[in-house]
Amino acid sequence: MEKSTQKKDLTLLHMIIIILLMFGFGYLPTVGTITTVGMKTLGIFIGLLYGWSTIGMLWPSILGIFAFGFSGHGTVKEMLAMAFSNDIFIFLIFILVILEMLTDSGAVNVIVNFFLTRKSLEGHPWIFSFIFLLSSGLLCIFGQAFAGILLCWSMIETLSQKVGYKPYDKYPTMMLIGVIISASAVQLMVPFKGICLVILGTYATMTGNAISYLSYMAVMIPAGLAFLALYLTFFKMIFKPDMKPLETVKVSEILGTTPPVTKRQKATLLAFGFFLATLLIPGCLPATSPIVTLTNTLGSSGLTAFSVILFMMIKIDGEPLLDFSKQARHLNWSVTFMVGVLMMMTSLILAESTGIRETVITLLSPVLAGYSGFVLLVVVFMISIVLTNQF
């Protein structure tokens, strides 16, 4: 008798474990300087991590907010207000709508196709591979990541069949893996989604100093590009894939010629450029500049909201450049709720009533003694990536 290969649905078991962690962990004996409130906070934190890893982001996030209302930090109503009135949460909602505007116009696809079909890439397979991975990362960050990955995989399959690569050959394998890596690396280059917003917000909460988007990108973009280059160099030196089939291929014949840019796409690109300028230019000006004073008054969420209002007022062929009701339908609410909960939880974990901060300092001081604050930031950065399953 053959055994059934169908996997059991463990959703109910996972839900029970999450509930026990969030509402039962606080009854365990306290550790070090951690208080009863701190134990409840840790239980919710562990429950959230477990839930995000097993069930998804949305249901555990909502339950986590509810659980915090019974942890001693405040009422459920106060926790809901704390999670959803956060500047980072509001900023994320508006920026996701702007990114959907960019994606819906087809402007991203036009740019990616333009770069990949340049004649200067022909005969230079390694340069082409680098540009392809970078372009795949852009597709993933400015659109739906999963859809972008599937599209790039399809392009790799088409390219492989055209030039004669077989399944599991070194080059297509390298590129398939590289698309996933690029999607993660490019997402970390720009502080507009998920983990980057959480890290910047956490750093600002811990230190009282906010890192400007311009400063962040000035470091992370070169680092991300270097990481992609190192990935390809690693494969080139260690696995040595056969690149000869790519030396004579014309990518334009496979991907097609770049379509003409429409009026809406031009307007969308100009609008997105304006939006980026409102976020980045203040970082280049003196702190006493009137523009910096205005942007500080508005904040990131206010600047993004202003851009959304402006784009809704602009008409292209009788239609608004940004249709909020249309673009908002595609928002990733799971990620949005997760960011809201994480930003709320950062403040709650660091609260004096929990005693968690003192315990962590006691544990890490012997390990990080003598190191600079930059090392601490790197440690927090890596822990955040691991805990939120970014790779």
Side-chain angles (χ1 to χ4, degrees), residues 219-365:
V219 174
M220 293 305 298
I221 288 180
L225 295 177
F227 181 78
L228 289 179
L230 286 173
Y231 171 77
L232 292 176
T233 302
F234 172 79
F235 262 87
K236 181 179 181 180
M237 303 298 294
I238 304 300
F239 294 98
K240 300 178 180 179
D242 181 15
M243 307 296 283
K244 290 183 180 179
L246 291 172
E247 291 179 355
T248 57
V249 68
K250 293 184 178 180
V251 181
S252 59
E253 296 179 359
I254 300 173
L255 301 181
T257 57
T258 303
V261 183
T262 65
K263 184 193 301 185
R264 175 169 289 274
Q265 289 169 346
K266 291 178 181 178
T268 302
L269 289 172
L270 288 173
F272 188 72
F274 167 81
F275 166 69
L276 288 180
T278 62
L279 294 180
L280 302 180
I281 287 179
C284 306
L285 301 175
T288 55
S289 170
I291 295 179
V292 174
T293 302
L294 176 61
T295 55
N296 289 338
T297 302
L298 292 173
S300 299
S301 58
L303 287 170
T304 314
F306 170 75
S307 296
V308 168
I309 295 171
L310 179 62
F311 301 159
M312 291 174 66
M313 294 172 61
I314 298 174
K315 299 278 187 168
I316 303 296
D317 296 328
E319 297 291 332
L321 183 63
L322 188 153
D323 187 338
F324 193 94
S325 60
K326 177 183 176 182
Q327 264 87 52
R329 294 173 190 165
H330 304 289
L331 288 185
N332 190 331
W333 288 109
S334 296
V335 174
T336 307
F337 270 70
M338 184 197 74
V339 170
V341 173
L342 281 173
M343 295 311 305
M344 175 189 70
M345 191 166 57
T346 299
S347 299
L348 298 182
I349 286 179
L350 296 176
E352 292 184 4
S353 59
T354 65
I356 296 175
R357 178 169 54 184
E358 291 75 12
T359 300
V360 172
I361 292 174
T362 301
L363 293 174
L364 292 181
S365 292

Side-chain angles (χ1 to χ4, degrees), residues 31-161:
V31 179
T33 60
I34 299 178
T35 64
T36 301
V37 174
M39 293 297 290
K40 291 180 179 179
T41 303
L42 279 178
I44 298 170
F45 175 60
I46 297 171
L48 284 168
L49 293 179
Y50 183 84
W52 291 334
S53 301
T54 56
I55 293 180
M57 297 178 188
L58 188 57
W59 183 84
S61 297
I62 297 174
L63 182 64
I65 297 173
F66 185 80
F68 274 121
F70 295 90
S71 64
H73 289 289
T75 64
V76 174
K77 181 173 67 173
E78 290 171 340
M79 294 299 100
L80 285 168
M82 187 176 182
F84 301 142
S85 62
N86 186 280
D87 185 68
I88 297 295
F89 179 82
I90 303 299
F91 172 74
L92 181 60
I93 290 179
F94 284 125
I95 199 170
L96 287 177
V97 171
I98 291 176
L99 292 179
E100 282 296 332
M101 172 195 73
L102 190 68
T103 303
D104 288 348
S105 70
V108 177
N109 293 335
V110 170
I111 294 173
V112 169
N113 195 285
F114 172 81
F115 282 115
L116 291 179
T117 54
R118 295 303 90 195
K119 291 185 177 181
S120 58
L121 298 180
E122 295 177 3
H124 303 282
W126 285 108
I127 298 177
F128 165 77
S129 300
F130 177 83
I131 298 298
F132 182 92
L133 291 183
L134 180 60
S135 300
S136 67
L138 292 175
L139 278 174
C140 293
I141 192 172
F142 289 117
Q144 296 294 330
F146 186 68
I149 289 171
L150 292 180
L151 174 61
C152 293
W153 280 355
S154 176
M155 293 167 64
I156 293 171
E157 182 181 5
T158 301
L159 178 64
S160 299
Q161 291 175 351

